[in-house]
Amino acid sequence: LTLEPVSAACARCGLPWVRPVARCLSCLARAPPYRAARAPYEFGGAIARAIRRLKWGRLPELGRPLGRLLPAEALGSGDCVVPVPLHVRRLRARQFNQAALLVLGSAGERRLPPLELGGLERVRDTPPQSALGLAERRANLRGAFRALPDRVRGRRVVLVDDVLTTGATAEACTEALLDGGAAEVVVLTLARAVP
Ligand SMILES: [Zn+2]
């Protein structure tokens, strides 16, 4: 079993680093729009298999044990929790949103800020991103998300997703939330891909 906890990271974007740093090279070159991104595990091994099973293996019951791995203090650091939304077409095909399942599974006996399922919507479906470079991913996602100002205005939002890869999705969601009046955005994912 391989679980690789992130022990030291960039304080801004959460990129695993040999020692804690305030800004990694990437953040020094270009600061992300979110206040911070956090992930308890590096993407790989058991956590990657579990996330793939949750998403593609149609095992939504994995949302509970995996959601419990999200750190409570990070989940509780905002005024509301917003999962990264799927486009309605993709939601219909998959029948569940894995990010929402993680949030729902994370609660248990813990007291967490309210879940705002409708705080952010995906208004444009986009082609799969895996073959694209970072600049193409950003262009691909421009205008793909829209926040509902009534749900997020003035609030500190904890944005949750299963895995942060390049950060392009988290950045597009953050920009939409800030456009909608959110006070700040902290990104929380179960795993962090290390390039
Ligand atoms: Zn960084």
Side-chain angles (χ1 to χ4, degrees):
L1 188 77
T2 48
L3 274 180
E4 296 285 345
V6 173
S7 47
C10 166
R12 187 73 189 258
C13 75
L15 183 72
W17 208 249
V18 288
R19 62 190 158 77
V21 288
R23 300 274 187 279
C24 70
L25 296 177
S26 154
C27 287
L28 282 172
R30 178 185 170 282
Y34 43 78
R35 183 169 69 78
R38 294 283 172 268
Y41 299 103
E42 287 188 21
F43 187 69
I47 207 84
R49 286 201 300 278
I51 288 173
R52 287 192 193 105
R53 279 180 196 157
L54 168 71
K55 269 162 91 162
W56 312 113
R58 297 182 180 273
L59 287 172
E61 60 271 29
L62 283 176
R64 195 173 168 83
L66 290 175
R68 292 301 179 89
L69 299 175
L70 290 173
E73 70 276 15
L75 273 170
S77 68
D79 303 314
C80 64
V81 180
V82 174
V84 168
L86 296 177
H87 188 268
V88 65
R89 200 178 318 149
R90 209 165 291 199
L91 184 62
R92 257 188 236 125
R94 195 180 294 169
Q95 295 177 348
F96 59 85
N97 172 348
Q98 71 276 4
L101 285 182
L102 288 177
V103 177
L104 290 168
S106 70
E109 305 85 59
R110 306 188 291 187
R111 289 176 63 86
L112 299 173
L115 169 66
E116 284 290 1
L117 262 181
L120 189 65
E121 55 184 6
R122 189 158 191 149
V123 290
R124 194 161 56 74
D125 204 3
T126 51
Q129 304 228 88
S130 44
L132 304 178
L134 180 55
E136 292 168 301
R137 283 181 188 230
R138 285 200 186 111
N140 194 29
L141 286 166
R142 202 156 292 141
F145 298 94
R146 186 173 60 206
L148 276 79
D150 288 352
R151 307 282 185 91
V152 302
R153 192 182 292 118
R155 299 173 92 183
R156 296 168 303 150
V157 175
V158 179
L159 177 73
V160 173
D161 205 357
D162 50 354
V163 54
L164 192 145
T165 308
T166 61
T169 300
E171 290 190 12
C173 288
T174 298
E175 280 160 4
L177 287 163
L178 295 174
D179 283 348
E184 65 168 35
V185 178
V186 169
V187 181
L188 177 62
T189 60
L190 190 54
R192 171 71 193 236
V194 181

Coordinates of all heavy atoms in Angstrom, one line a residue, residues 10-15 23-27, ligand 1:
C10 N 4.6 24.1 -0.9 CA 4.5 25.6 -1.1 C 3.3 26.1 -0.4 O 2.2 25.5 -0.5 CB 4.4 25.8 -2.6 SG 3.9 27.5 -3.0
A11 N 3.5 27.1 0.4 CA 2.3 27.6 1.3 C 1.2 28.1 0.4 O 0.1 28.2 0.8 CB 2.8 28.7 2.2
R12 N 1.5 28.6 -0.8 CA 0.5 29.1 -1.7 C -0.2 28.1 -2.5 O -1.4 27.9 -2.4 CB 1.2 30.2 -2.6 CG 0.2 31.0 -3.5 CD -0.5 32.0 -2.6 NE -1.6 32.6 -3.4 CZ -1.5 33.8 -3.9 NH1 -0.4 34.5 -3.7 NH2 -2.5 34.4 -4.5
C13 N 0.5 27.3 -3.3 CA -0.2 26.4 -4.2 C -0.2 24.9 -3.7 O -0.8 24.1 -4.4 CB 0.4 26.5 -5.6 SG 2.0 25.7 -5.8
G14 N 0.5 24.6 -2.6 CA 0.5 23.3 -2.1 C 1.3 22.3 -2.8 O 1.3 21.1 -2.5
L15 N 2.1 22.7 -3.7 CA 3.0 21.8 -4.5 C 4.0 21.2 -3.5 O 4.7 21.9 -2.7 CB 3.8 22.6 -5.5 CG 4.7 21.7 -6.4 CD1 3.9 20.9 -7.4 CD2 5.7 22.6 -7.2
R23 N 6.7 30.6 -1.3 CA 6.3 30.6 -2.7 C 7.3 29.6 -3.4 O 8.5 29.7 -3.3 CB 6.5 32.0 -3.3 CG 5.7 33.1 -2.7 CD 4.4 33.2 -3.3 NE 3.6 34.3 -2.9 CZ 2.9 34.4 -1.7 NH1 3.0 33.3 -0.9 NH2 2.3 35.5 -1.4
C24 N 6.7 28.7 -4.2 CA 7.5 27.9 -5.1 C 7.9 28.7 -6.3 O 7.4 29.8 -6.5 CB 6.8 26.6 -5.4 SG 5.4 26.8 -6.6
L25 N 8.7 28.2 -7.2 CA 9.2 28.9 -8.3 C 8.0 29.3 -9.2 O 8.0 30.4 -9.8 CB 10.2 28.1 -9.1 CG 11.5 27.7 -8.4 CD1 12.4 26.8 -9.3 CD2 12.2 29.0 -8.0
S26 N 7.1 28.4 -9.4 CA 5.9 28.6 -10.2 C 5.1 29.8 -9.7 O 4.6 30.6 -10.4 CB 5.1 27.3 -10.4 OG 3.8 27.6 -10.6
C27 N 4.9 29.8 -8.3 CA 4.1 30.9 -7.7 C 4.8 32.2 -7.7 O 4.2 33.3 -7.8 CB 3.7 30.5 -6.3 SG 2.5 29.3 -6.2
Ligands
ZN1 ZN 3.5 27.3 -5.3

